[in-house]
Amino acid sequence: MESLFAALSGDFLGTPVYFWIAFIAIVIGLLVFDLGILHRDEHEIEAKESLLLYGFYVCIALAFGAWVWFQRGAEAGLEFYTGYLIEQSLAMDNMFVIATIFGFLGIPRLYQHRVLFWGILGVILFRAILIGVGAALVNNFNWILFFFGTFLVFTGIRMFSHSDDEPNMDDNKILKFMRKRFRVTDTLRGRDFLVKEPDPKTGRIVTWLTPLAIALIMVEIVDLIFAVDSVPAVFAVTQDTFIVYTSNIFAILGLRALYFALAAAMNRFRYLQVSLAIILVLIGIKIFLVPLHIHIDTLLSLVVTVAILAGGILYSLWKTRNEPNVSAEGETRTGQLKP
């Protein structure tokens, strides 16, 4: 018993092992609850259900942050909440792109939760790798923070100047590559990602990807691309690997739950990207100052991020108050790929 207690009290990446075990247990419990209970029977998720589920995930994240605060002090708790909010803010742009992917590939709302759920597993793995690499670089090469800061400022300025651009899926290189290299069915095959069907040339039974699988792969790749922005942003708040990783995962879990409410009215958040660009620039400046030993208070960062994000949301809703809600998915083509 003493050896077990000693093992649980030992450190992993600067954090007691039992913290990691508690986090993993919570995430597994949430995923089992989501798929095994709430969505055991596949159905179209409406905005009300999406908002309720999002509220549930937010409560879990807030409770986890309170536990971190109580166990590791106020500074660690503030860092968790700030990292959580930053990731939620920056990842909202990701939701717009995911909605565009679903619309282009014609993925019905009935199956979108299935793609997002299995996509979470990829997020958990790839974020762990990305954050682990980032933490190793920061710990061994402190000057890398200058690069992170410059990159975030550049990305924010670029986002600001391209805020009106719409993703063009017809010219998407990833989609073109997959169509060229893999067998892909023209239409959905129910809820399946892979199917066994005859090759039209040879007649042999071979494995085909369905549009649902293409959507899952593209969602994972998009998340990885967006993580290149958001992960360094959280390093501006803290270099604690545990806080960076847990705040990222809780934020993504909540946003995936909120997706269906956002997707139903994406046009109402037209000006939000400007707020996200400003947040990126400010975070880039903050992370650039870290190696210079100029510290900006974590609480101040949290307040400023909340104010900018809230301002962007309220301004967008006010400017589009007379517009009907329009889904970013556009007209769904019942799972049929363009030739």
Side-chain angles (χ1 to χ4, degrees):
M1 182 64 73
E2 291 183 2
S3 60
L4 176 61
F5 180 77
L8 293 176
S9 301
D11 277 5
F12 177 69
L13 297 178
T15 299
V17 172
Y18 72 89
F19 271 78
W20 290 101
I21 293 175
F23 167 69
I24 292 170
I26 291 170
V27 171
I28 292 174
L30 288 173
L31 294 178
V32 170
F33 175 72
D34 190 314
L35 189 64
I37 298 176
L38 292 182
H39 302 101
R40 180 171 52 190
D41 300 321
E42 269 179 336
H43 61 278
E44 292 189 14
I45 299 176
E46 301 298 333
K48 181 179 179 180
E49 180 183 351
S50 177
L51 289 171
L52 288 174
L53 187 57
Y54 174 69
F56 169 73
Y57 276 113
V58 169
C59 289
I60 296 295
L62 292 177
F64 186 85
W67 180 61
V68 171
W69 188 307
F70 178 76
Q71 292 288 329
R72 302 183 61 180
E75 185 67 21
L78 276 175
E79 288 174 351
F80 174 85
Y81 288 132
T82 306
Y84 174 77
L85 183 64
I86 287 173
E87 177 60 32
Q88 283 244 329
S89 303
L90 299 180
M92 285 187 74
D93 208 35
N94 194 359
M95 298 297 102
F96 288 76
V97 179
I98 290 175
T100 304
I101 291 171
F102 284 154
F104 182 83
L105 297 177
I107 307 299
R109 289 176 66 88
L110 179 63
Y111 300 130
Q112 288 176 8
H113 176 268
R114 179 171 170 79
V115 173
L116 294 176
F117 176 85
W118 291 109
I120 284 291
L121 301 182
V123 169
I124 292 172
L125 173 63
F126 293 133
R127 291 290 172 113
I129 295 172
L130 196 60
I131 290 170
V133 171
L137 289 174
V138 170
N139 289 332
N140 291 282
F141 308 101
N142 192 249
W143 55 264
I144 201 74
L145 292 173
F146 289 124
F147 172 77
F148 284 172
T150 304
F151 174 73
L152 291 178
V153 170
F154 173 78
T155 303
I157 294 172
R158 187 176 184 277
M159 182 186 292
F160 185 84
S161 61
H162 291 78
S163 59
D164 295 327
D165 292 354
E166 295 291 335
N168 186 356
M169 295 301 298
D170 287 310
D171 294 330
N172 188 278
K173 294 180 180 179
I174 299 170
L175 183 57
K176 287 181 177 179
F177 174 82
M178 287 190 290
R179 283 172 168 168
K180 184 177 180 180
R181 299 293 180 180
F182 301 101
R183 301 182 183 90
V184 182
T185 61
D186 290 332
T187 59
L188 289 173
R189 299 297 191 265
R191 64 198 298 271
D192 293 329
F193 291 110
L194 302 172
V195 292
K196 295 281 189 179
E197 292 185 0
D199 186 305
K201 296 180 179 179
T202 65
R204 292 187 301 110
I205 301 297
V206 294
T207 301
W208 293 71
L209 299 178
T210 68
L212 210 62
I214 299 297
L216 176 60
I217 294 169
M218 294 193 69
V219 165
E220 293 285 14
I221 293 174
V222 163
D223 179 80
L224 193 59
I225 293 171
F226 275 84
V228 174
D229 293 340
S230 62
V231 169
V234 182
F235 275 112
V237 177
T238 178
Q239 286 79 59
D240 187 318
T241 308
F242 178 79
I243 292 178
V244 174
Y245 184 60
T246 55
S247 62
N248 257 255
I249 298 304
F250 275 117
I252 295 298
L253 283 171
L255 271 183
R256 292 291 168 94
L258 183 63
Y259 166 80
F260 295 95
L262 290 175
M266 286 290 189
N267 65 304
R268 299 297 307 279
F269 300 94
R270 185 178 306 147
Y271 302 97
L272 181 60
Q273 195 172 39
V274 175
S275 293
L276 303 183
I278 295 172
I279 290 173
L280 264 183
V281 171
L282 293 178
I283 292 172
I285 294 172
K286 184 178 187 298
I287 199 171
F288 193 89
L289 296 175
V290 172
L292 301 177
H293 305 290
I294 301 174
H295 177 70
I296 297 176
D297 185 71
T298 304
L299 180 58
L300 177 62
S301 299
L302 179 60
V303 171
V304 170
T305 303
V306 170
I308 295 173
L309 180 62
I313 292 173
L314 292 175
Y315 181 75
S316 293
L317 294 176
W318 178 73
K319 286 289 288 185
T320 60
R321 63 191 181 280
N322 297 321
E323 297 181 14
N325 293 343
V326 178
S327 170
E329 298 161 17
E331 183 180 351
T332 300
R333 298 184 302 279
T334 64
Q336 183 169 353
L337 286 174
K338 285 184 178 180

